[in-house]
Amino acid sequence: MKTLIKNATVMLPDGPQKTSVLIEGSQIAEIDPAESVEADEVIYAYGMHLMPGVIDCHVHMRDPGFTNKEDFRSGSKACAKGGITTFLDMPNTNPETTSQKMLEEKLMLASHKSLVNYGFFIGATAENMKELKNATRTPGIKIYMGSSTGDLMLDNPAIVEAIFAETKLPIAVHAEDESIIQKNLSECPNTRNVMDHSKIRTEEAEVACVKRAVQLAKEYKHRLHICHVSTAAAVAEFEDHADLITAEATPHHLFLNKDDYMKWGTLVQMNPSLKTAEDNAGLLQALLDDKIQAVATDHAPHEYSEKCKRYPESPSGVPGVETMLPLMLDMVAKEKCTLEDVVHWLCEAPALIYDILEKGRIEVGYDADLTLVDMNKTQTLRGPNLITKCGWTPFEGREVTGAPVRTWVCGQEVYNDGKFDESRPGVEAMFDHSRGGYWAGLDD
Ligand code: DOR
Ligand code: ZN
């Protein structure tokens, strides 16, 4: 099967170019093919932008164990609608992904249910060092250095240090210092006020934990990725990166802050907590300065009824896979960044950070994971319009310009303007960690 996407503005590694792309089977076969080229299907994309499919390197698809919140089918459909063609899923499912056996069971489950490509982190516990040392088919090890949803917290300093010392896979951390969280909590033990969430999970808690993780990465020369950075102050701890350290920001930490509790209450409760408007600006600047390399959703759906419980019974986390790309394209429309920046943060950087093979760029021989975007389409983000099972968004009512309209996964069109083709599943993303990650790959 050959598909020709004709006359789009194609976001190539060297910059945008008005041209055509030929897909053959699951791969990108030709860029700028001859006028005479033949194809089974021709898509006229004049006026549209063709970008690599988004790689969301931080999601919680809740499968297995919490499929009332999401599952691989609903979550992957939501991804396809949001222009995401590959997701990397976190280990706080039930059972937790803490062994090769569980990892492979999840891969098997996703192979039947997911419409987009997938990969799974292995979670660190106090007991699974052997599994962490030997794990394969994974983007890396996730360490919850502070508590969050689930029971995967690992705040024993000796064990965390041993993982940095003895394992080889990239390490991704949730960095909030548990002792500082507990100290802050003891100062408002009976709080029912969600605003206290940001007084418990403070900038100080994030900075202290990031500092420790950075020290360990440097001491053991171990690659480290800092998930969902929420403060500008934390960025200062790793901006020299030592060719080892990368970080991600989420749309909620870029576009929401403590003032949003007034309007949205526990709906905007997440870990790390929301911080200040200065942090919003600081995180965007850090992305522009390549001090933070990627944007990822931390898609963490919870049912609306669960989120409406009174704090602190309300769970932390917000959904994001359908809203990330529209929100980022809107930043392009507002001239806060360029479309090249968005492609770098959402596609190219995640592929480099986790050594994903043949993804994240529009290049001959790469997988035909592609997203067609209409930079002129304006929409209002609304929970009931979403595919995610949770059906609500912390960005309710925002008007955004720029939207994904069609999505191809391995050459197969899975989403076209509101309609899905569910006939073919996505495939497992492949990782080659000998590539050495973002800083090694950036020079190519
Ligand atoms: O807010 C969050 N929700 N932060 C996390 O680290 C986990 C996530 C979840 O799984 O609900
Ligand atoms: Zn997360």
Side-chain angles (χ1 to χ4, degrees), residues 310-322:
R310 203 160 156 198
Y311 187 80
E313 276 89 55
S314 45
S316 292
V318 296
V321 291
E322 285 159 271

Side-chain angles (χ1 to χ4, degrees), residues 58-60 90 92 142 144 148 174 227-228 248 271 297-300:
H58 190 147
V59 305
H60 300 264
M90 289 298 163
N92 61 340
K142 174 71 183 282
Y144 286 88
S148 195
H174 180 119
C227 297
H228 42 49
E248 84 207 10
N271 306 332
T297 60
D298 196 7
H299 179 72

